[in-house]
Amino acid sequence: MERCRCCGGVLEKVLDFGRMPLADRFVTPDEVADEYFFDLTVGMCTGCAMVQLINVPEPELIFRSDYPYRSSGSIRMAEHFAATARTLAARELTGQDPFVVELGSNDGVMLRVLAEEGIRHLGVEPSAGLVELSARRGVRSVAAFFDHDLALRIRADHGRANLIYAANTMCHIADIGSVLSGIDALLTDDGALVFEDPYLGDILRGTAFDQIYDEHVFYFTLRSAQRMLAPHGLEVSHVEPLDVHGGELRYTVTRRGRRPVDTTVTSLLAAEDDAELTDPAALASFRRRVEETRERLPTLLRELRSAGRRVVGYGATAKSATVTNYCGITPELIEFVCDSTPAKQGRLTPGAHLPVVAPETFSAHYPDHAVLFAWNHATEIIGNESAFAAGGGQWIVYVPEVRMIAG
Ligand code: DWN
Ligand code: SAH
Ligand code: ZN
């Protein structure tokens, strides 16, 4: 029997995607033979209703020094994190000589703004490659996985943190109990943990099944997050929706009783009860819509190909590993995927083995259709590639459903 990582309750299987590769492991042709696969299944806890992966590959296999994702790869995301840094500085870092710790600081996209202000900071980022890149941007970080032991070491070296921030990282860490007890040890009495992650409500509403892959262990709701935090003496005192990555929530978490729990929390809790997010019927309806996409997307691509059309992909996202592998998308259906990340170019996408090329290959000879795998960056990409649609090219999206869109 599989157990919940938050409360130890029993996990009930709600979704099964079958064998999947690691979503950020882009392979060379000689690596194809021993590519790693695991069973991508999602469970819901019968105790605390936390939706989570049932099997999680070892984090050391995923977040290696060659982990390819660069947060600064999107201008809009870089702006989002710069704005976040300014908001956090004004809200949480106003005391004397404040100290901020970021979990999953990646390429330093957020901390560089605070570093420029001379704010004492430390990023925690397991990928040594990203730690080096951050150092070149004036960001100090440590190449390690955050857990309780590391929290104690940081506290011994730097003192307690007024702010602990984590974007798209809390939901990545299976050993969440160790992370939360570490946060309890590291945070000042009046400090805040601010974290933002994809919201289960948006994933279900948007049929964004591609948010489900090896790195995303947890799919939070406000209610399940509250239950996860409570045993550590922590509570959500403020929550705000974010319009990035298809819909996220930013949680401001403080020690129980230290700050008033405001109406953003009470009203979202009421809305979640109405929406019955973790009701078996909601998940069953999601599953039916996902199965429809699994049918429709390859059917559309096959039709286009048999009509002699050229079809490519745009954005070799981690999310697209689930789409291509679950929907059976092969290089016969999609000629290549273009992506601006140098470390992904010249390799093959995980499992489906679509060649990854630079965006210049796309614009040098526009195809007839492009599947927008980075649908969460639609405005930025469609704007940058406006000549594609102007020349008659058509974008294909599959979230919330399969359709072609005009540029
Ligand atoms: O949670 C996670 C998020 C934050 O980032 C990680 N587990 C992994 C990663 O997920 P993803 O790969 O699905 O994220 P993105 O941000 O949707 O990836 C966009 C991809 O598209 C990147 O490889 C960069 C590329 N891109 C591009 O080629 N041209 C992006 C933009 C904006 C562009 O203009
Ligand atoms: N914060 C960035 C990066 C998100 S990708 C953003 O929002 O764009 C997730 C990041 O978490 C990766 O850079 C990964 O290396 C890091 N990570 C994974 N496990 C971690 C852990 N235990 N402690 C700290 N960072 C971790
Ligand atoms: Zn549970």
Side-chain angles (χ1 to χ4, degrees), residues 82-206:
T84 300
R86 290 189 289 270
T87 303
L88 292 175
R91 280 192 202 163
E92 307 290 348
L93 301 171
T94 51
Q96 256 239 301
D97 189 27
F99 177 47
V100 52
V101 173
E102 182 179 11
L103 317 186
S105 47
N106 199 272
D107 59 4
V109 66
M110 196 287 288
L111 283 180
R112 66 186 302 181
V113 178
L114 299 180
E116 275 164 21
E117 297 297 311
I119 293 174
R120 249 187 345 122
H121 65 272
L122 184 68
V124 179
E125 172 48 64
S127 168
L130 290 168
V131 167
E132 247 171 65
L133 188 58
S134 304
R136 280 186 249 136
R137 295 172 171 173
V139 170
R140 179 176 187 181
S141 45
V142 46
F145 288 91
F146 186 84
D147 61 7
H148 185 250
D149 286 349
L150 187 75
L152 296 183
R153 273 194 278 144
I154 295 175
R155 188 176 76 182
D157 291 348
H158 303 269
R160 290 186 192 244
N162 306 84
L163 170 67
I164 299 174
Y165 174 71
N168 305 297
T169 297
M170 291 290 277
C171 75
H172 287 61
I173 311 178
D175 194 0
I176 198 71
S178 176
V179 167
L180 291 172
S181 65
I183 286 169
D184 180 23
L186 183 58
L187 202 61
T188 58
D189 289 349
D190 288 318
L193 158 70
V194 175
F195 71 98
E196 55 197 65
D197 281 301
Y199 180 51
L200 181 66
D202 290 311
I203 294 175
L204 297 186
R205 254 192 304 276

Side-chain angles (χ1 to χ4, degrees), residues 384-397:
N384 286 342
E385 300 285 3
S386 58
F388 168 56
Q394 272 182 317
W395 293 101
I396 297 171
V397 291

Side-chain angles (χ1 to χ4, degrees), residues 4 6-9 45 47-50 52:
C4 172
C6 304
C7 78
C45 175
C48 71
M50 179 68 82
Q52 58 199 280

